[in-house]
Amino acid sequence: MAWRNNNPGNLKFEYAGSADKTVKSKRTKEQALLSAQKAYDGVVDLDQWGNAIFNTEDAGRDAKAKLLTKKHGDKTIEEMLPKYAVSDYSGKADTQAYAAGIHKLAASRGLDLKGKKISDLNPDEFNALMDGMQKVEGFKEGKVSIEKPETAVANAGPEAALVMPSITDDPTQGKPYLDSLAAANNPDSYSPGGVFSKSPALHDFAAGPRNPTQIAYAAAPKVPTFAPAPAPAEAPPIKQYLASNSDRNTPASAPIIDVGQDIKDRNIAHIVTGGFCGRG
């Protein structure tokens, strides 16, 4: 993990909701990342445990050197380790074994760091301290390789699993970490999730541990068919009766009574019009 994160000192920034269940911090991942970026150059993200991810190995090493000199410069190795190496998700910290590992590497170079304050170490001694810590922290270079499926996805069966890019441990290889990461996330790559590790804790550069994805395929649903709707029955004829208040014109005939201007006809006119009867 230290190698994959370009973080030889496993510098960690705790945040709530991380995979480390021993963390009591209430700050968010965004707040922890901002704090890491203010403290050190080159921090691009935090992994699922809170370990900083640096853009280069040199940036991660410089950050560790800055931490040792600025925060622990007045301490010896044995005084520094209880504050540096604490128990967490990885297990209980064994500071005695940690110190022994550092002194063993220093002794292999003919150096003795015992009882010396970190700020008093000469460049060779300080590099021995850094390298010894890096070895104890498990910084082991590996090989990045990209594997693609042998058959096209379109021909995969319903239980086919997508082959994921992987990191294999190989100390003889260099570490073109960022270039390989970019290739893994290239649109032409078959990896939807970035670079993965074959170690028990699968790891994505930006998103933390992830499991290889299985893609299931199903036949396209069939569109249901329906029988044609029956033709509607012919509507019955409607009978319309002529009402008494119909607006139709009804012809009527009446005899025409000729009433002239003669005096004899005036009596008849009075009778017809309801007037008084005239002289007979």
Side-chain angles (χ1 to χ4, degrees):
M1 184 177 294
W3 173 73
R4 288 193 294 269
N5 291 345
N6 284 324
N7 186 354
N10 277 331
L11 274 64
K12 183 178 178 183
F13 296 83
E14 298 179 344
Y15 61 88
S18 73
D20 186 355
K21 302 307 179 183
T22 66
V23 170
K24 304 300 182 182
S25 175
K26 294 183 179 180
R27 67 180 175 180
T28 64
K29 181 179 179 181
E30 290 74 17
Q31 292 171 332
L33 176 59
L34 182 61
S35 176
Q37 291 173 332
K38 286 183 177 180
Y40 305 109
D41 295 331
V43 178
V44 295
D45 203 355
L46 303 178
D47 70 8
Q48 72 275 22
W49 308 104
N51 298 306
I53 299 173
F54 292 88
N55 54 2
T56 66
E57 180 183 338
D58 288 340
R61 187 177 176 89
D62 290 344
K64 184 175 76 168
K66 182 178 179 180
L67 174 65
L68 291 174
T69 56
K70 298 293 184 182
K71 189 174 182 179
H72 304 291
D74 61 341
K75 302 180 180 69
T76 65
I77 293 173
E78 284 74 16
E79 292 171 340
M80 173 270 295
L81 285 176
K83 298 293 184 180
Y84 185 93
V86 296
S87 300
D88 58 8
Y89 68 92
S90 60
K92 185 176 181 180
D94 188 344
T95 57
Q96 291 183 348
Y98 201 138
I102 295 172
H103 292 307
K104 182 178 180 180
L105 185 141
S108 69
R109 300 180 183 181
L111 301 172
D112 184 6
L113 309 182
K114 295 179 180 178
K116 295 182 179 180
K117 293 183 178 181
I118 293 174
S119 59
D120 294 335
L121 299 177
N122 62 40
D124 290 338
E125 292 171 336
F126 188 77
N127 284 332
L129 169 62
M130 295 276 287
D131 293 341
M133 295 178 69
Q134 179 172 305
K135 184 175 181 180
V136 174
E137 292 289 345
F139 191 92
K140 181 180 179 182
E141 293 186 357
K143 176 183 176 182
V144 177
S145 61
I146 306 298
E147 300 175 2
K148 294 185 178 181
E150 298 179 356
T151 57
V153 175
N155 297 327
E159 297 181 358
L162 192 63
V163 178
M164 310 305 293
S166 61
I167 297 175
T168 57
D169 293 330
D170 185 350
T172 65
Q173 300 293 328
K175 186 174 72 65
Y177 185 70
L178 296 178
D179 291 342
S180 299
L181 177 68
N185 288 292
N186 188 281
D188 294 333
S189 172
Y190 285 82
S191 171
V195 177
F196 285 79
S197 168
K198 286 186 177 180
S199 62
L202 293 175
H203 177 76
D204 184 349
F205 178 78
R210 303 173 70 174
N211 294 322
T213 303
Q214 284 194 342
I215 299 178
Y217 298 85
K222 295 181 179 180
V223 179
T225 57
F226 300 94
E234 185 176 354
I238 299 176
K239 294 181 180 181
Q240 184 175 0
Y241 297 94
L242 184 62
S244 60
N245 59 349
S246 172
D247 58 355
R248 293 186 179 183
N249 296 326
T250 303
S253 61
I256 299 175
I257 302 176
D258 294 330
V259 178
Q261 295 296 323
D262 295 338
I263 297 298
K264 63 180 181 179
D265 293 329
R266 292 181 180 176
N267 291 332
I268 298 174
H270 280 288
I271 296 172
V272 172
T273 60
F276 295 101
C277 181
R279 291 178 294 177

